[in-house]
Structures are given as structure tokens and as C-alpha cells.
């Protein structure tokens, strides 16, 4: 069941290329046949959704972001955000794993060497390789300098040492993209010049995946910690050129993805509630109807939740258009960032409201633990903690009141 059919006319049909539409139609089939049926099992296990990701590899969706000049679809950001929404409506952990991979593919093609580009395209297109991310560290604040070091060797390669936390997608990725600090390139004028991205193959014996993720929600992301102990990276696997990374819109692109996943979770919660309301819920006596779907309060609640999600969905899809426009040089970074902050706010609030509100739609009997309706709330509650949305409200307000432009950064 596609999202458009579920929400009827509340969501406008996407404006995509024929290649993008075909890719998403294939994705819908994989979601229905593999991703959705395995979601509860993956949530219970709390480990990487191997079979679901394997299915994504088989359908080609992981290659969506590879540029057309290297044999890929060169899909728009809008297409990627649609894919994230659809995946999140079935299994938001799989959606987040896909989100990280898609964003990394886009970014590495933007700031890697010309020599790496055809090699990366071959990995994704021919070998269906997945990319996972290792960037966050357990400092006193999220903005603490990296302690993971990437030290240059005589052959032009590097040795990486350090530990990362919140490594979404990395637990079973074919390649882990690890950010490190190269002290030899540090300058006070441009500290980002010392940041470097390296690709580490999953079978590197000096990299240890600890499998210590044990969270309330997003359990199947397996986003635990990873250690690097004298990991040797050949010069051909250095994925960023000094001065090109990070991109000025990296942080806000991540925010747009979080908005897409949170909207998808809310839609998934409502989608899961519909058959329960039809088959098991009881109307309130005052409604004087025979079926809960005829209860006007149930209809009202569903309508309100759908309206808010539809609005958040529209804002999120506009983020895709804005990202493409920014990369073409058509809009400023502020014109990109502020609408993405607004979409993130709407997505967080509507996703949380839907994941909680489904219980009011379904009634007390829906709270039985074996039914698993709690996964929607657990997942959206966990993901909305990533980059507190209240700070996005502050930044929107500051911009409107003073004309302030949010500077490029990891979280702004």
C-alpha cells in the first residue's frame, strides 16, 4: 500500500522523473514483501536489519544517489526523501540506515578525489555496497574536538585510532565512513581543514564493532560504538580532499532526512491503526453507532492527525527541492536552512502526535504489549532526540526577529 493511497488526497502525488518513479515503485514492492513483515522481528532483536538491507541491495534503491555521469540515476533529493518516508512507514530503523547511506554517497561524490569517484560508483552499482557512518564521539559536549586521529603515512595512506558512538548503519556496512582529525593539517583560521573522511572495509581486523546499542527505539539501527586501533587506510580510500569537507549544507541535509523519517513513522502508525479500528475497536456509547470507524470522535482524531502529517510531509518534500536548488547555486544557505528547520519542527510534532494518538483511535485493548503498537512511539521519541528541535525553534525565531543567518556547522 503506497502512502498516497493510504492518505488519499491529503498528500499530493510526487513530481519525479520516470527513473525515480520506477525506483520507488520497486521499493514499494520490497517494503511490502520484506521490510514491513520483518519490522517487529528486527525491533525485538535490536540488531542490524540484515535481511531488509539485503532486499534493498537487490532492488537497486541504494544506488539512487549515484550521479548519472557515473552510471547511476542521479536522483533528486526529493526522490531520496520520498524513499525515506516510505521506508519509515514500515521500519524506521531501515529508513535511517538507508538515509545515512544515501547522504554519504551524495556527499563523498561532492568532496572526494576524481580517482575515487568511479571506484565508489562501481562499489555501489556493481557490488551493492552499503556505507555506514562513524562521526560522533563521547565528548563533554557534542561540539568537542575529535579525538579520533588520522595520521599520514609515507605511502600517502593513513593510520586511524579512536572510538566513535552513534554509528548508524556501520554495524554491518560494507564500508564505514569514519571522520578523523589530522593534526598536521590544522590551522586556527580553518579548523575544518584538518577533518578527514576515510573509508574502512568491514573486514578490517583492526576495526571493532561492539554491538552495544540498547535503546528505547530505533533499535535495529544497531547504532552502537566502534573502535579503531591502528586501522590502516590506503591512499585510494581517503574520501575527502582538505578544504572541500564538510559541505556547508551537510548538517541541514541530515535534518531534512530526520524530518522525512519522523513523518514516515507517524504515517506508519496511522496505517497500522486502520485495520485495528475497523475490526477490533469499539465505539463510545454516546456516538450511537455500531462500528468505531463511524464514531465521529474517532473520525475527527484521525482527520486531525492526517492533516498535520500531510502538512509536515509537504514541508519535507519542499526541503528536497530546496536542497537541489542550493546545489545549483539558486538560493542562499539561509533560504535552505530555515525551511528545513521548519519542516523538522512540523515533522517531529506531527510524528509524535500520531504515534501517541493512535491509542486514542484504537482504545484500551490496543495497549496490549504483544500487539507492538508501542514501536511507533518508541522509534519517533528516540529519533526526535537527535538534535533537539527546540533549538531549531530558537534559530527560526532569531532569524525572523533579527535577520540572523545560521552559520554552516554540524548542528546549524
Amino acid at each position: 500500500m503506497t502512502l498516497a493511497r493510504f492518505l488519499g488526497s491529503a498528500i499530493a502525488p510526487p513530481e519525479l522523473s520516470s527513473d525515480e518513479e520506477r525506483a520507488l515503485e520497486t521499493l514499494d514492492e520490497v517494503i511490502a514483501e520484506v521490510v514491513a513483515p520483518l519490522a517487529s522481528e528486527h525491533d525485538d532483536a535490536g540488531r542490524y536489519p540484515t535481511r531488509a538491507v539485503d532486499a534493498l541491495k537487490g532492488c537497486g534503491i541504494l544506488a539512487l544517489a549515484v550521479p548519472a555521469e557515473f552510471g547511476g540515476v542521479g536522483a533528486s533529493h526529493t526522490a531520496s526523501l520520498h524513499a525515506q518516508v516510505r521506508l519509515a512507514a514500515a521500519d524506521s530503523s531501515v529508513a535511517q540506515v538507508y538515509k545515512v547511506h544515501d547522504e554519504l554517497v551524495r556527499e563523498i561524490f561532492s568532496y572526494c578525489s576524481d580517482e575515487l569517484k568511479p571506484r565508489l560508483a562501481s562499489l555501489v552499482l556493481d557490488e551493492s555496497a552499503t556505507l555506514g557512518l562513524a562521526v560522533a564521539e563521547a565528548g563533554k559536549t557534542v561540539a568537542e574536538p575529535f579525538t579520533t586521529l588520522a595520521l599520514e603515512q609515507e605511502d600517502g595512506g593513513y593510520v586511524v585510532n579512536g572510538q566513535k558512538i552513534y554509528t548508524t548503519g556501520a554495524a554491518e556496512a560494507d564500508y564505514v565512513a569514519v571522520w578523523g582529525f589530522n593534526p598536521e593539517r590544522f590551522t586556527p583560521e580553518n579548523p575544518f581543514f584538518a577533518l578527514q573522511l576515510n573509508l574502512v572495509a568491514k573486514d578490517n581486523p583492526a576495526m571493532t564493532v561492539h554491538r552495544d546499542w540498547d535503546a528505547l527505539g530505533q533499535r535495529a539501527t544497531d547504532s552502537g560504538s566502534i573502535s579503531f586501533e591502528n586501522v590502516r587506510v590506503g591512499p585510494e580510500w581517503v574520501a575527502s580532499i582538505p578544504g572541500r569537507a564538510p559541505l556547508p549544507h551537510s548538517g541541514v541535509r541530515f535534518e531534512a532526512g530526520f524530518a522525512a523519517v519522523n513523518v514516515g513513522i507517524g504515517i506508519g502508525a496511522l496505517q497500522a491503526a486502520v485495520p485495528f479500528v475497523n475490526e477490533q475497536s469499539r465505539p463510545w456509547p454516546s456516538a450511537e453507532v455500531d462500528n468505531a470507524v463511524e464514531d465521529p470522535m474517532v473520525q475527527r482524531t484521525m482527520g486531525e492527525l492526517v492533516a498535520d502529517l500531510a502538512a509536515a510531509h509537504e514541508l519535507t518534500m519542499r526541503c528536497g527541492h530546496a536542497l537541489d536548488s542550493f546545489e545549483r547555486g539558486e538560493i542562499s544557505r539561509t533560504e535552505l536552512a530555515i525551511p528545513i528547520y521548519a519542516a523538522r519542527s512540523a515533522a517531529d510534532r506531527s510524528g509524535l502526535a500520531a504515534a501517541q494518538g493512535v491509542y486514542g483511535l484504537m482504545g484500551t485493548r490496543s495497549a496490549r504489549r504483544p500487539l507492538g503498537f508501542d514501536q511507533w512511539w518508541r522509534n519517533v521519541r528516540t529519533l526526535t532526540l537527535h538534535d533537539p528541535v527546540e533549538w531549531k525553534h530558537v534559530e527560526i525565531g532569531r532569524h525572523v526577529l533579527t535577520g540572523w543567518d545560521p552559520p554552516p556547522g554540524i548542528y546549524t
Side-chain angles (χ1 to χ4, degrees):
M1 179 181 291
T2 66
L3 301 185
R5 279 197 226 98
F6 171 65
L7 293 183
S9 299
I11 288 183
E15 296 179 3
L16 304 171
S17 71
S18 57
D19 287 341
E20 292 170 341
E21 287 180 351
R22 283 192 293 270
L24 291 179
E25 287 172 1
T26 302
L27 176 63
D28 283 339
E29 294 174 3
V30 171
I31 289 173
E33 295 171 5
V34 181
V35 178
L38 292 174
S40 294
E41 179 181 331
H42 286 149
D43 177 71
D44 289 341
R47 288 294 171 259
Y48 191 87
T50 305
R51 286 183 286 170
V53 174
D54 285 346
L56 297 187
K57 290 183 177 183
C59 79
I61 197 70
L62 296 177
L64 203 62
V66 176
E69 63 186 289
F70 292 99
V73 175
S76 64
H77 283 88
T78 303
S80 291
L81 292 174
H82 271 289
Q84 291 170 43
V85 171
R86 295 180 188 203
L87 283 166
D91 187 331
S92 54
S93 289
V94 177
Q96 192 178 353
V97 170
Y98 167 77
K99 165 190 179 317
V100 167
H101 167 87
D102 184 84
E103 290 163 348
L104 280 170
V105 171
R106 291 178 181 277
E107 298 217 352
I108 293 174
F109 270 105
S110 298
Y111 50 56
C112 74
S113 67
D114 290 340
E115 291 76 19
L116 181 57
K117 290 177 182 179
R119 186 180 301 115
L120 178 60
S122 178
L123 287 175
V124 178
L125 294 173
D126 302 329
E127 301 178 28
S128 299
T130 54
L131 304 182
L133 182 62
V135 57
E137 297 189 356
K140 187 176 181 180
T141 72
V142 295
E144 287 286 301
F146 284 164
T147 59
T148 298
L149 299 180
L151 302 179
E152 192 166 1
Q153 306 299 295
E154 292 183 359
D155 65 354
Y158 290 82
V159 170
V160 178
N161 281 283
Q163 182 159 332
K164 299 289 188 177
I165 61 173
Y166 303 147
T167 56
T168 299
E172 293 186 17
D174 296 295
Y175 291 86
V176 177
V178 53
W179 282 101
F181 178 77
N182 182 350
E184 296 181 6
R185 291 200 174 124
F186 176 76
T187 62
E189 298 77 21
N190 186 7
F192 287 128
F193 199 78
L195 296 183
Q196 179 175 296
L197 187 68
N198 300 297
L199 296 179
V200 179
K202 65 179 180 181
D203 57 357
N204 192 307
M207 178 178 70
T208 303
V209 178
H210 295 287
R211 311 306 285 257
D212 52 2
W213 181 246
D214 186 16
L216 175 74
Q218 292 302 95
R219 290 174 45 74
T221 61
D222 212 356
S223 301
S225 61
I226 295 181
S227 297
F228 304 89
E229 187 174 354
N230 294 321
V231 173
R232 297 191 64 83
V233 178
E236 70 275 18
W237 296 114
V238 176
S240 65
I241 292 177
R244 290 190 185 177
L247 299 174
H249 60 304
S250 293
V252 291
R253 192 206 318 263
F254 267 56
E255 296 291 344
F258 287 131
V261 177
N262 288 334
V263 166
I265 294 173
I267 292 172
L270 297 186
Q271 182 170 291
V274 169
F276 191 95
V277 174
N278 273 273
E279 299 164 10
Q280 299 191 50
S281 296
R282 295 182 296 181
W284 193 246
S286 301
E288 298 181 346
V289 295
D290 296 327
N291 193 298
V293 298
E294 299 170 345
D295 187 322
M297 295 306 295
V298 171
Q299 294 173 347
R300 178 203 172 279
T301 299
M302 175 62 87
E304 183 176 31
L305 295 173
V306 168
D308 288 346
L309 282 169
H313 183 273
E314 179 65 18
L315 287 175
T316 300
M317 292 307 115
R318 291 192 178 195
C319 294
H321 294 299
L323 283 162
D324 291 329
S325 295
F326 178 79
E327 292 187 348
R328 291 192 297 264
E330 297 170 352
I331 62 174
S332 70
R333 189 184 182 280
T334 298
E335 291 172 312
L336 171 68
I338 298 301
I340 287 179
Y341 295 168
R344 174 69 196 278
S345 172
D348 280 25
R349 287 183 286 118
S350 62
L352 281 166
Q356 175 178 307
V358 290
Y359 287 102
L361 287 171
M362 297 182 292
T364 305
R365 61 182 63 186
S366 66
R368 287 176 292 162
R369 187 169 181 178
L371 295 175
F373 286 112
D374 62 302
Q375 66 179 297
W376 305 103
W377 182 86
R378 288 188 290 103
N379 288 334
V380 72
R381 178 67 277 184
T382 299
L383 199 57
T384 53
L385 296 175
H386 202 304
D387 310 352
V389 74
E390 294 301 339
W391 277 103
K392 301 295 173 266
H393 296 153
V394 170
E395 289 155 5
I396 294 170
R398 184 178 178 185
H399 166 73
V400 171
L401 290 168
T402 70
W404 171 77
D405 294 320
I410 298 176
Y411 298 104
T412 54

